[in-house]
Amino acid sequence: MSTPDTGVVVGDDGLARPAWAAVDPLLREYYDTEWGMPVRDEQGMYERITLEAFQAGLSWATILRKRPAFREAFANFDPDVVATYDDADVERLLNNAGIVRNKAKILAAINNAQATIKLRDKGGLVDFVWSFQPDETPHPHTVDEIPTKSPESLALSKAMRKEGFTFVGPTTMYALMEASGIVDTHLVDSHRRGSSGVWPS
């Protein structure tokens, strides 16, 4: 059952979700348990930055289905391990049908692992990303009202590039901020609105 004036879909469990999370069981589970929850550990934040970069031009469902293979291929997104990957590892990854075989994105993942390690001298990746949390969060009633970037995501993108990160454009950084709880773009009538504890419902 869809509610046109709010943009949510009420599922067979009686819970309201956006259409993108209402049908596919994998997306629904991700939405209900993970998306928008605060990420406060380096490995988790590095994983999300990496997967958001790989997602560019693709559907999130594609990335989510491949995430177990990504985790295996990238040492569970341990930056200390990925930072040491060499040409042989790049070749191995390019031959791995379980992941997205894009050389530029693979090289970005390795580069960003190295940049993550360097950021430890400045307080670390997590605090760096969270320092761009805005004073307010959107209150969208429909998916069309959700921004795709913000002044904060533009600033974060610029700052990340300055620290040596790649594939961190403002739209990608806004998606990161949504996924990791820095902003809450759950629809106002979704059952997940305010679930992060960072923002009131």
Side-chain angles (χ1 to χ4, degrees):
M1 182 176 76
S2 178
T3 314
D5 59 337
T6 63
V8 297
V9 176
V10 179
D12 52 13
D13 55 3
L15 299 177
R17 302 174 181 85
W20 70 264
V23 180
D24 186 312
L26 187 66
L27 287 172
R28 185 159 138 171
E29 172 73 11
Y30 173 69
Y31 180 80
D32 282 353
T33 63
E34 187 176 350
W35 187 75
M37 295 305 288
V39 176
R40 304 283 190 183
D41 66 291
E42 181 189 77
Q43 204 159 327
M45 188 66 78
Y46 168 66
E47 174 179 3
R48 282 156 181 81
I49 289 170
T50 304
L51 292 181
E52 292 292 351
F54 272 101
Q55 188 268 334
L58 302 169
S59 73
W60 181 246
T62 297
I63 299 300
L64 206 54
R65 288 191 179 89
K66 291 177 177 286
R67 183 159 67 163
F70 270 112
R71 285 177 168 171
E72 184 176 355
F74 285 95
N76 207 30
F77 294 101
D78 181 340
D80 290 299
V81 176
V82 180
T84 68
Y85 281 6
D86 58 16
D87 291 345
D89 291 297
V90 172
E91 193 63 30
R92 168 179 62 82
L93 292 166
L94 285 170
N95 287 309
N96 185 340
I99 66 168
V100 175
R101 293 180 286 183
N102 179 303
K103 187 172 184 179
K105 293 177 180 179
I106 289 169
L107 292 173
I110 298 167
N111 171 80
N112 291 349
Q114 295 164 352
T116 295
I117 291 169
K118 290 176 185 174
L119 256 187
R120 291 172 185 167
D121 292 335
K122 298 184 179 181
L125 177 65
V126 173
D127 286 351
F128 186 85
V129 173
W130 274 90
S131 72
F132 290 86
Q133 180 182 344
D135 293 330
E136 296 182 350
T137 194
H139 292 80
H141 289 272
T142 67
V143 172
D144 289 343
E145 293 176 8
I146 299 173
T148 57
K149 56 187 175 184
S150 68
E152 292 80 15
S153 79
L154 284 160
L156 174 59
S157 172
K158 185 177 179 180
M160 293 284 276
R161 287 187 174 123
K162 188 176 179 182
E163 296 298 333
F165 288 81
T166 53
F167 272 88
V168 287
T171 301
T172 300
M173 289 300 94
Y174 195 77
L176 173 72
M177 295 168 84
E178 291 180 284
S180 57
I182 297 170
V183 294
D184 185 350
T185 58
H186 287 291
L187 299 182
V188 169
D189 292 314
S190 166
H191 83 101
R192 295 290 291 166
R193 182 74 190 179
S195 59
S196 69
V198 176
W199 302 96
S201 59

